[in-house]
Amino acid sequence: MVNFRTIFTLCMAQALLLSIISLTFQLIVVHQMEFNPGSDGMMNLGTSANGGVSGAVVDGISDTRLTIAYTVTLTGCGGDKRYSTQDAMGLITQGAAVLRHSIAMAHSPQQSKYNYQMYAIVHPVAKECSRVMEKLGYTVLIRNTPFDKKDIQQEFLRENIDRASCCGEKEFIKLYAYTLVQHPVAVILDLDSLILQPLDSLYDAMIGGEDTMEETRQKLPIHKGVEYTAESPFPKRIDAFYTKDYNMVNAGNEAYAGVQGGFLVVRPSEATFDEYIDIVLEGNYIEGRGWGGKYGYFFGGMQIQGICAYYYGEDKHPETGVELNRCRINSMVDSPYFSKDDKKKPGECRDGVDGCEDCRNSDLSSIMSVHFTICQKPWLCTANWDAASTQLCSLLHSEWFRIRRHFEESRSDDEPRQLPELEGSFRPETHFGYCQSSGQKGYLPIEV
């Protein structure tokens, strides 16, 4: 058996080759959100807090739509060799402001039948950075890791749960999204995400129940590799939507790929939350194999990406989760193929599906949400991508900056600010004047 140290090294190398940067921030907040849409339904900073599952005001009319919870998590606040606390707050601001505004745009009354509320669950070590989240209208709840790792029964998981991931045991604060039971649906996102279209079809399927399932099912962007049969029927009740990260598994383990941790739509439930904690404390993560001996033998597998795959996998609750098309939802613009040098499946589809879809060739109009991993963070003012990803990554960065500019135009928390000139800026067709040159030093940051 290959030892843990060897596997950890291999996984880290694979993660670097895929250019998936571990976030120095993540976030999930629960406190009272401030929502005061402008005349176009867009977000304005400041003003009154409404809270609850409804009650926002649009054009002077009470908004009684059901409210979807959106959560992000904050597990660190700089203060190390890589980032100062001030630097960390600046980076958090960029992602948090534009993500929230993209959600506000997708949930305007003209676009969606649902209202929205932003949450951030903040680990105590990141409390100082939560101030910027409150300024941006997130509701902030300080939450510690929902278990004490000393109570994990099995030694291997107890000794290693802080390894082979960006955030270790702190990442499990994402599970607090399940406790938002005042909402019918909660969406777990990373801060380097963007919503481009309303996700009403997902919420309809979860809220409508069995009576409307057949109708709503036709509108769902389901992963091509999922086959429903008489023996394995489509769920009568959906408790989760997710995409999978096939980039992190080796050939032959496609069936046990992890849930991509940057996008998860769940039905809040205290019982589900408690079950997750029981699974962690049981500690059934087997060295060299993963949760239940199957799920999570990859980078990040001991945390959310592995345990969620296990929870909605064949041994736990396979009848309640639905895998979505990762080219349309949580798009990372990843290659669907194993390397031509792979010893087991050279050049074959990573998800095990013949004729798999290449997300790098997706039409922009088909993409509902984005996760800036392989395409890199927009605030890095990226100049070049690999040839296969360049066109779509450039378009997605342009969407981020377009929404950022709309955010700046709609702000009412301060006196009107001067927008940057497009002429003379770096690639204005992509960066809308917010990049003066390539690289993070050329970026003009959002200030709140």
Side-chain angles (χ1 to χ4, degrees):
M1 179 181 294
V2 181
N3 65 35
F4 178 79
R5 183 182 298 277
T6 301
I7 289 301
F8 172 69
T9 303
L10 291 173
C11 289
M12 285 294 291
Q14 184 180 23
L16 288 172
L17 288 172
L18 290 168
S19 301
I20 298 177
I21 300 176
S22 297
L23 297 178
T24 60
F25 53 82
Q26 291 176 319
L27 172 94
I28 244 180
V29 188
V30 176
H31 149 183
Q32 197 73 20
M33 171 188 121
E34 295 185 351
F35 174 65
N36 183 32
S39 60
D40 59 355
M42 297 304 103
M43 183 268 289
N44 291 328
L45 295 180
T47 70
S48 62
N50 294 293
V53 296
S54 64
V57 177
V58 180
D59 292 337
I61 301 173
S62 179
D63 189 342
T64 59
R65 296 176 296 167
L66 286 175
T67 301
I68 307 301
Y70 285 85
T71 70
V72 288
T73 54
L74 186 59
T75 58
C77 189
D80 56 23
K81 294 180 180 179
R82 293 186 62 197
Y83 296 102
S84 67
T85 297
Q86 194 65 33
D87 288 339
M89 285 195 285
L91 291 173
I92 289 168
T93 298
Q94 310 316 303
V98 178
L99 172 60
R100 186 190 194 279
H101 198 66
S102 75
I103 292 169
M105 294 173 71
H107 280 274
S108 71
Q110 296 79 24
Q111 296 291 324
S112 174
K113 70 176 70 171
Y114 299 101
N115 198 353
Y116 77 99
Q117 182 165 350
M118 303 300 300
Y119 288 92
I121 297 173
V122 180
H123 194 276
V125 301
K127 184 177 180 179
E128 188 171 355
C129 280
S130 68
R131 290 182 291 129
V132 71
M133 303 306 295
E134 291 177 328
K135 288 182 179 179
L136 289 168
Y138 286 75
T139 54
V140 178
L141 184 68
I142 308 300
R143 289 291 182 267
N144 214 326
T145 305
F147 55 84
D148 188 331
K149 67 179 181 180
K150 293 185 296 185
D151 295 330
I152 297 174
Q153 296 177 23
Q154 299 300 318
E155 181 181 2
F156 182 76
L157 183 64
R158 184 171 62 248
E159 297 298 324
N160 293 285
I161 197 167
D162 270 333
R163 301 181 183 179
S165 74
C166 70
C167 316
E169 66 178 71
K170 294 193 294 293
E171 189 179 9
F172 284 95
I173 66 173
K174 284 189 175 186
L175 295 178
Y176 283 108
Y178 284 95
T179 68
L180 301 178
V181 294
Q182 69 271 35
H183 297 278
V185 177
V187 185
I188 300 170
L189 296 170
D190 281 349
L191 282 175
D192 56 346
S193 300
L194 195 69
I195 302 299
L196 295 179
Q197 298 180 24
L199 303 178
D200 285 21
S201 61
L202 307 185
Y203 310 146
D204 289 346
M206 294 184 75
I207 295 170
E210 186 175 353
D211 292 342
T212 61
M213 186 61 70
E214 192 57 39
E215 177 185 352
T216 56
R217 174 185 172 183
Q218 306 305 318
K219 302 176 184 178
L220 296 175
I222 298 173
H223 175 55
K224 181 181 177 182
V226 179
E227 295 184 5
Y228 294 104
T229 64
E231 292 75 25
S232 180
F234 190 80
K236 294 182 178 180
R237 168 189 163 110
I238 298 174
D239 288 339
F241 286 111
Y242 51 82
T243 62
K244 288 191 173 182
D245 194 344
Y246 293 98
N247 297 291
M248 304 308 278
V249 296
N250 295 320
N253 291 329
E254 299 88 350
Y256 305 113
V259 165
Q260 215 295 317
F263 180 92
L264 188 63
V265 180
V266 303
R267 185 188 302 276
S269 163
E270 292 280 3
T272 300
F273 176 81
D274 292 341
E275 186 177 358
Y276 269 113
I277 305 309
D278 288 343
I279 291 171
V280 174
L281 295 180
E282 181 186 13
N284 187 21
Y285 185 98
I286 300 174
E287 182 177 5
R289 292 163 62 187
W291 294 99
K294 300 176 183 177
Y295 300 89
Y297 193 45
F298 44 77
F299 183 82
M302 288 189 192
Q303 295 79 28
I304 292 298
Q305 300 207 147
I307 198 171
C308 287
Y310 178 47
Y311 189 88
Y312 295 110
E314 61 187 14
D315 296 330
K316 289 291 183 181
H317 304 282
E319 74 287 354
T320 63
V322 174
E323 181 184 356
L324 299 175
N325 182 336
R326 71 185 189 282
C327 294
R328 296 193 61 196
I329 298 286
N330 198 35
S331 174
M332 298 193 298
V333 195
D334 56 314
S335 169
Y337 309 112
F338 286 111
S339 166
K340 292 181 180 179
D341 297 326
D342 189 271
K343 295 182 179 179
K344 289 185 177 180
K345 297 186 176 182
E348 294 185 28
C349 294
R350 286 182 172 275
D351 60 6
V353 178
D354 292 334
C356 53
E357 184 177 357
D358 191 337
C359 298
R360 298 171 296 180
N361 298 328
S362 299
D363 190 279
L364 178 63
S365 64
S366 72
I367 299 174
M368 303 174 76
S369 74
V370 186
H371 192 182
F372 291 100
T373 54
I374 293 172
C375 285
Q376 303 298 323
K377 317 309 176 200
W379 47 90
L380 298 179
C381 294
T382 303
N384 296 294
W385 296 273
D386 67 83
S389 305
T390 291
Q391 182 175 0
L392 186 53
C393 283
S394 180
L395 288 172
L396 293 174
H397 274 237
S398 180
E399 286 297 289
W400 192 91
F401 281 101
R402 177 184 64 81
I403 293 172
R404 188 241 161 115
R405 194 170 180 96
H406 190 281
F407 165 77
E408 298 283 19
E409 291 171 341
S410 67
R411 289 176 68 172
S412 65
D413 59 313
D414 201 356
E415 68 272 5
R417 55 192 40 77
Q418 185 175 357
L419 298 175
E421 295 290 338
L422 298 182
E423 186 175 354
S425 65
F426 177 65
R427 295 189 176 180
E429 72 282 359
T430 299
H431 303 117
F432 283 72
Y434 292 107
C435 291
Q436 300 303 300
S437 62
S438 174
Q440 189 171 341
K441 290 183 179 179
Y443 176 71
L444 300 179
I446 298 169
E447 296 182 3
V448 296

